[in-house]
Amino acid sequence: MRARRTRQTARLLAVSAVAALCALGLTAPASAADTPPPGANDWSCKPDSAHPQPVVLVNGTFKTSYENWLTLSPALAQAGYCVFSFEYGDLETGPIPDSAAELRDFVNAVLGATGAKKVDIVGHSQGGMMPRYYVKFLGGATKVDDLVGIVPSNHGTSNPLALAAGATVCPSCVDQTAGSDFLKKLNSDPETPVGPDYTAIATRYDEVVLPYTSAFLDGPAAQVTNVLLQDRCPLDITEHDQAPKSPLVEQWVLNALGRKGPADPAFVPRCVSTG
């Protein structure tokens, strides 16, 4: 328990440090921001019949795509998917509607290059929530087959550092604060518009999206699956930042992408913890 509190404190301090760096005009090196993760952005890749939708990876706040998807991107490519990722919103700190417009343009580019009719989207944290704005308000409902959110901030967070960071240099942090005007608009009925299938993956040990149940979505079972990692693997202690690199999360993502509809709520993964 003491070790977990130490990790949580370190995470909160890291968020504050990143916000302070951004306030001084310091961001990730251009080389890091411009480097896609392994397996991603082969613009000659053509989807096959077994994997008809290319996968667009959407990273979380303060993250480069390379760091966020270092593990999952090559796993998806090895599984046979065409994988794409991009940077957006000044290290994902910009207003979320603006970032959703960037996602719209990137999806259009992916569809044009691959010839696919739709994409699947897998996103972490803000990247699991922001695509819902694209789906609901920017025409994405007809272009997204699966939306898989890994610890997504679907209903925001009560973490006080979100608002503190937003007061300085992070409009997206304000948007992700529980009860924000942005989230009220996003989650107005219908919360899960017809079009994509939605899978939301949460962990009981999320120290960023608070409470962890904020990740879950309302919608019919045929269209929405909410996954709590510990329901299947009680000993798993995956936290927020670890989630995109978790072998357990990877299994749920592949299950969601590999079937019609969202992830199978009866799926029994192999329990492997990164905690």
Side-chain angles (χ1 to χ4, degrees):
M1 183 66 71
R2 181 179 298 173
R4 185 158 65 245
R5 285 198 299 267
T6 300
R7 288 195 297 268
Q8 290 174 351
T9 300
R11 165 63 185 169
L12 296 179
L13 290 174
V15 171
S16 296
V18 171
L21 287 174
C22 291
L24 294 173
L26 302 175
T27 58
S31 57
D34 293 341
T35 303
N41 292 3
D42 175 3
W43 291 92
S44 66
C45 185
K46 300 297 181 184
D48 59 26
S49 58
H51 312 88
Q53 284 82 234
V55 178
V56 174
L57 301 174
V58 187
N59 35 304
T61 313
F62 301 133
K63 293 288 186 179
T64 66
S65 180
Y66 182 88
E67 191 279 332
N68 214 152
W69 304 114
L70 188 60
T71 300
L72 189 56
S73 176
L76 291 171
Q78 186 174 8
Y81 292 95
C82 295
V83 181
F84 297 87
S85 70
F86 73 116
E87 309 296 338
Y88 66 92
D90 297 324
L91 268 183
E92 305 78 44
T93 62
I96 291 177
D98 294 348
S99 295
E102 292 185 53
L103 173 61
R104 174 199 60 202
D105 295 344
F106 188 79
V107 167
N108 287 341
V110 169
L111 294 177
T114 61
K117 295 181 179 179
K118 293 185 177 183
V119 300
D120 292 330
I121 294 177
V122 178
H124 173 230
S125 195
Q126 180 189 162
M129 173 272 291
M130 176 269 279
R132 294 178 50 225
Y133 191 95
Y134 161 56
V135 167
K136 191 168 185 176
F137 299 111
L138 301 178
T142 62
K143 297 183 179 181
V144 179
D145 186 62
D146 272 291
L147 173 53
V148 182
I150 302 171
V151 293
S153 51
N154 281 322
H155 295 90
T157 179
S158 61
N159 188 328
L161 281 179
L163 188 57
T168 54
V169 294
C170 182
S172 71
C173 298
V174 174
D175 287 344
Q176 291 177 90
T177 301
S180 70
D181 289 342
F182 169 82
L183 287 171
K184 289 177 181 176
K185 177 180 178 180
L186 179 65
N187 292 317
S188 61
D189 190 51
E191 189 167 291
T192 48
V194 172
D197 296 308
Y198 301 84
T199 300
I201 302 170
T203 173
R204 195 181 302 277
Y205 299 104
D206 197 322
E207 75 284 18
V208 177
V209 174
L210 301 175
Y212 69 84
T213 52
S214 293
F216 294 150
L217 291 168
D218 290 329
Q223 187 185 9
V224 178
T225 297
N226 292 310
V227 175
L228 180 62
L229 296 178
Q230 288 76 27
D231 281 349
R232 287 286 183 269
C233 299
L235 299 181
D236 186 86
I237 56 172
T238 297
E239 296 178 355
H240 189 87
D241 276 0
Q242 299 166 336
K245 301 179 178 68
S246 163
L248 179 56
V249 170
E250 179 184 318
Q251 293 176 70
W252 279 106
V253 170
L254 287 171
N255 179 266
L257 298 183
R259 66 190 300 271
K260 185 177 180 179
D264 181 0
F267 176 59
V268 179
R270 183 171 59 91
C271 295
V272 181
S273 175
T274 56

